[in-house]
């Protein structure tokens, strides 16, 4: 009989203890994990579940945000929930809980939209609450509020387009070149990049060839014409830093002719490569 009374007393004490300390649980426990690329909005949900005795408003702020050891503008990460007017930046404290939830969870949506100037990599941060953890520990009703880890992976991206995308080039000579102009649009979030071009051999239906060492390119510059560059092997024609989509150059192509070239249409491909620098 005494043993039964003791077990009941222990059970009552455990239940009483679990209701004394107010706490907030975060789902998922791994925090926020996003993957994105330039100009793409990536969103994720995090739920904050208080118990019924959590009656204190709770605010969170992005206390740190880094990529490759460098600080990132904290206002780039935004949140939206019942207590914000649309998406609000996390460079300051934002309401997460009002203290009136009565054990109902509040789901908060987070979003991150990198620009072309945001370097590829893993952006790591930490959401921390405005209520001092030690003050909560010293209170008989409050547990420390959980910190929320943030991870955003920004993938590398390069965009390239030609106008026209397909084109023909008449054979000619360096003395009287017949030039084909092609507009080049380009974008990349790589901090430093180099753009390379090469050409395949051009073939006709009878297996005759125009060798790729006779296909040439240069950047158009009316005031200071550039030398022609053979495309027999990859040749760097441009380099730069991270840039949004823009028309960065007009390319001029020429094919050097030979006396023995047979008339006809010769088909082949011109290849573009982007490399980190």
């Amino acid at each position: 009989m005494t043993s039964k009374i003791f077990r009941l007393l222990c059970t009552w004490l455990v239940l009483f203890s679990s209701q004394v300390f107010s706490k907030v649980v975060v789902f998922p426990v791994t925090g926020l994990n996003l993957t994105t690329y330039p100009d793409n909005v990536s969103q994720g949900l995090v739920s904050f579940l208080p118990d019924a005795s959590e009656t204190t408003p709770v605010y969170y702020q992005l206390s740190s945000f880094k990529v490759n050891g460098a600080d990132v503008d904290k206002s780039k990460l935004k949140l939206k929930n019942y207590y914000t007017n649309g998406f609000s930046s996390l460079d300051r404290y934002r309401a997460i809980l009002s203290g009136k939830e009565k054990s109902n969870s509040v789901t908060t949506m987070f979003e991150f939209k990198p620009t072309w100037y945001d370097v590829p990599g893993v952006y790591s941060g930490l959401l921390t609450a405005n209520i001092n953890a030690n003050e909560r520990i010293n209170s008989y009703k409050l547990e420390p509020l959980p910190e929320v880890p943030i991870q955003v992976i920004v993938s590398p991206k390069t965009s390239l387009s030609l106008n026209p995308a397909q084109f023909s080039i008449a054979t000619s000579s360096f003395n009287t070149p017949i030039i084909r102009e092609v507009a080049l649009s380009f974008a990349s979030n790589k901090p430093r990049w180099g753009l390379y071009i090469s050409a395949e051999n051009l073939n006709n239906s009878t297996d005759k060839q125009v060798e790729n060492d006779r296909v040439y390119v240069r950047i158009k510059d009316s005031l200071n014409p550039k030398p022609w560059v053979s495309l027999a092997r990859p040749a760097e024609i441009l380099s730069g830093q991270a840039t949004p989509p823009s028309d960065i150059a007009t390319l001029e192509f020429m094919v050097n002719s030979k006396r023995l070239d047979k008339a006809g249409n010769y088909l082949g491909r011109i290849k573009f490569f982007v490399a980190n620098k």
Side-chain angles (χ1 to χ4, degrees):
M1 182 66 179
T2 302
S3 176
K4 183 176 181 181
I5 293 173
F6 178 75
R7 285 198 301 272
L8 289 174
L9 179 60
C10 288
T11 303
W12 180 81
L13 286 174
V14 170
L15 291 175
F16 176 79
S17 176
S18 67
Q19 293 177 4
V20 167
F21 293 98
S22 175
K23 62 183 179 180
V24 176
V25 180
V26 177
F27 298 103
V29 295
T30 53
L32 180 69
N33 293 276
L34 302 176
T35 300
T36 186
Y37 50 86
D39 287 344
N40 174 68
V41 177
S42 182
Q43 296 179 333
L45 300 175
V46 177
S47 294
F48 296 81
L49 176 63
D51 62 31
S53 57
E54 178 64 66
T55 58
T56 305
V58 172
Y59 298 79
Y60 272 88
Q61 180 185 37
L62 191 57
S63 60
S64 65
F65 204 28
K66 293 179 179 292
V67 60
N68 301 330
D71 289 328
V72 179
D73 180 4
K74 297 182 180 69
S75 66
K76 296 182 71 67
L77 185 67
K78 304 180 187 298
L79 66 78
K80 182 175 72 172
N81 58 23
Y82 302 134
Y83 313 118
T84 62
N85 184 17
F87 279 99
S88 301
S89 64
L90 275 160
D91 56 345
R92 63 190 67 182
Y93 285 111
R94 302 295 181 182
I96 296 293
L97 299 170
S98 68
K100 301 178 181 179
E101 283 75 19
K102 297 180 180 179
S103 75
N104 294 312
S105 67
V106 172
T107 298
T108 295
M109 177 176 287
F110 293 84
E111 77 167 25
F112 185 83
K113 181 181 180 180
T115 70
W116 289 92
Y117 298 109
D118 293 316
V119 299
V122 179
Y123 291 61
S124 299
L126 200 63
L127 287 176
T128 56
N130 65 318
I131 301 175
N132 184 277
N134 291 328
E135 291 179 359
R136 291 179 66 89
I137 291 172
N138 293 333
S139 170
Y140 75 95
K141 284 189 176 181
L142 301 177
E143 286 188 357
L145 289 164
E147 295 178 327
V148 182
I150 304 293
Q151 178 177 279
V152 181
I153 299 174
V154 176
S155 302
K157 183 178 180 180
T158 296
S159 171
L160 183 151
S161 63
L162 303 176
N163 186 20
Q166 298 182 356
F167 50 90
S168 59
I169 310 170
T171 56
S172 60
S173 67
F174 290 109
N175 294 327
T176 56
I178 298 176
I179 295 172
R180 178 57 162 164
E181 294 187 0
V182 178
L184 172 63
S185 296
F186 183 82
S188 180
N189 66 345
K190 298 178 184 292
R192 295 287 302 176
W193 51 265
L195 178 61
Y196 296 78
I197 304 180
S198 68
E200 296 179 341
N201 292 330
L202 310 180
N203 298 280
N204 70 5
S205 58
T206 60
D207 292 331
K208 298 296 182 182
Q209 280 191 344
V210 172
E211 297 81 5
N212 58 4
D213 60 1
R214 292 196 279 140
V215 182
Y216 291 85
V217 70
R218 69 183 181 184
I219 302 296
K220 182 179 180 179
D221 188 337
S222 301
L223 298 178
N224 184 25
K226 301 295 189 292
W228 291 104
V229 178
S230 170
L231 295 182
R233 58 179 55 87
E236 182 181 17
I237 59 164
L238 286 168
S239 62
Q241 299 177 336
T243 181
S246 57
D247 298 329
I248 62 171
T250 296
L251 304 179
E252 294 182 331
F253 290 94
M254 186 201 80
V255 177
N256 191 27
S257 63
K258 286 183 177 180
R259 281 181 176 272
L260 298 180
D261 286 339
K262 299 294 184 181
N265 293 324
Y266 292 75
L267 301 178
R269 293 187 298 176
I270 294 176
K271 299 178 180 180
F272 291 80
F273 310 84
V274 178
N276 292 325
K277 299 197 73 175

